[in-house]
Amino acid sequence: MKVLQLGKFYPIRGGVEKVMYDLMLGLSAAGIDCDMLCASTENHPAAEIQLNKHAKLMVMPTNIKVAATMLAPNMVIKLRKIAKQYDIIHIHHPDPMATLALFLSGYKGKVILHWHSDILKQKTLLKLYKPLQNWIIKRANLIVGTTPVYVKESIFLDKVQNKVDYIPIGIEAKTGDNVLENSLKIQYPEKFIVFSLGRLVEYKGFEYLIKAATLLPDNFQILIGGKGPLESELKELISTLGLTEKVKLLGFLSDEDVDAYFAICDIFCLSSIWKTEAFAIVQIEAMAKGKPIVTADIPGSGVSWVNKDGISGIVVPTENPQALANAFKKIEEDKEFREKCIQGSLSRYHEFFSRDKMVGKCLQLYRKVLSN
């Protein structure tokens, strides 16, 4: 079996790229030939990197940006040259450039379409991309989501449910840096820490998390990692509400810093409010550390499938500061329930969201497709 992961970017910045890369590493570690073809980010030069004897990373230079989409014409040229080498092309959506490359490649083999999310806000892009999107949905031998909920609820997939399945995203648990963790703990002595992480954009719902802080006792500390266009607006909201000590915007965090904040927090909160948040890898990063999770119930999203209400944490209504505050206080005050959520998070991580589980399910579906 020889597989190609197709789509998105390198160096890795987002969840889709991370899933592609982790699948390549996991499958190649299992002895499956699995390469990855993608476009570059941040002016990264074209490159071919042999990661191991079963995996090669091929990075094509990005030349132009149109309708919020990065275009790398060399992906088309490269794929036309190599497509026949592969038994399966595993393409990751949404990525118009990757879909165009596959359309023009002449490839006749098996195609798995990994449907990470619908295109929701980029209306102009969707109008331009819709014919290609319709083609790839029809062309795919199998369509997989990251949760059963998202692919079932997607309006674009309602007529192809007969060829839909899912592969939950999986990650490897990390070993923390005790020195860094201890230095952070010293900064917030005797505080019950609620940590959140993400780009400071509207769909993340950080304003509701900040407003929830006004309803919490002084022993609570809200820490929000990430940068984005709403940074100034959120800082102003924190100042206006008199929360400059209780709520901290941490800015950009390195991978090591993120891991340390996951380790020291008492709760991880995902306050996102739109279906744009399809899965949220940050949830399972927190679960791998055994953290109770508080999330908002987003219609059509898989977020609340990942965080099981009453098992790994609490699911609350969206855009509701009072509900968030009540959930935080419930976990802080009810030690028995908190311990249940700690064990529930760890259990769900090991049962569904380890990298080995993701690779195993993926390999099972590859064999199913090839056998048909």
Side-chain angles (χ1 to χ4, degrees), residues 14-130:
V16 176
E17 300 96 292
K18 179 172 172 53
V19 170
M20 289 175 61
Y21 192 78
D22 283 353
L23 281 173
M24 176 178 58
L25 292 181
L27 288 162
S28 61
I32 304 298
D33 290 332
C34 184
D35 298 332
M36 175 172 157
L37 175 62
C38 63
S40 66
T41 53
E42 301 174 352
N43 300 314
H44 191 281
E48 286 203 7
I49 306 167
Q50 192 72 43
L51 298 174
N52 57 54
K53 67 178 183 178
H54 293 293
K56 180 168 62 178
L57 173 62
M58 296 168 280
V59 185
M60 300 295 107
T62 297
N63 299 91
I64 192 171
K65 185 175 181 179
V66 177
T69 300
M70 305 303 287
L71 299 182
N74 282 1
M75 281 186 72
V76 177
I77 299 168
K78 184 68 174 180
L79 189 57
R80 286 184 64 86
K81 290 180 179 178
I82 65 174
K84 291 180 181 179
Q85 300 175 20
Y86 298 97
D87 302 297
I88 294 173
I89 291 183
H90 187 154
I91 184 169
H92 295 259
H93 171 94
D95 188 342
M97 185 66 242
T99 307
L100 179 62
L102 183 60
F103 178 75
L104 297 174
S105 70
Y107 179 68
K108 304 299 183 185
K110 303 290 186 178
V111 172
I112 289 183
L113 171 59
H114 207 130
W115 194 273
H116 291 268
S117 68
D118 300 341
I119 296 176
L120 296 172
K121 286 196 69 178
Q122 295 167 302
K123 304 297 186 184
T124 301
L125 172 62
L126 183 57
K127 284 181 181 179
L128 295 172
Y129 178 52
K130 192 72 179 292

Side-chain angles (χ1 to χ4, degrees), residues 21 42 52 67 93 98 107 145 152 154 165 173 179 187 194 211 226 228 248 253 261 272 290-291 299 314 321 370:
Y21 192 78
E42 301 174 352
N52 57 54
H93 171 94
Y107 179 68
K152 183 179 179 181
S154 172
D165 209 315
V179 174
Q187 296 179 39
V194 178
K211 290 175 181 177
K248 300 289 185 184
L253 298 176
Y261 279 105
S272 299
K291 301 301 174 177
I314 299 176
L370 289 176

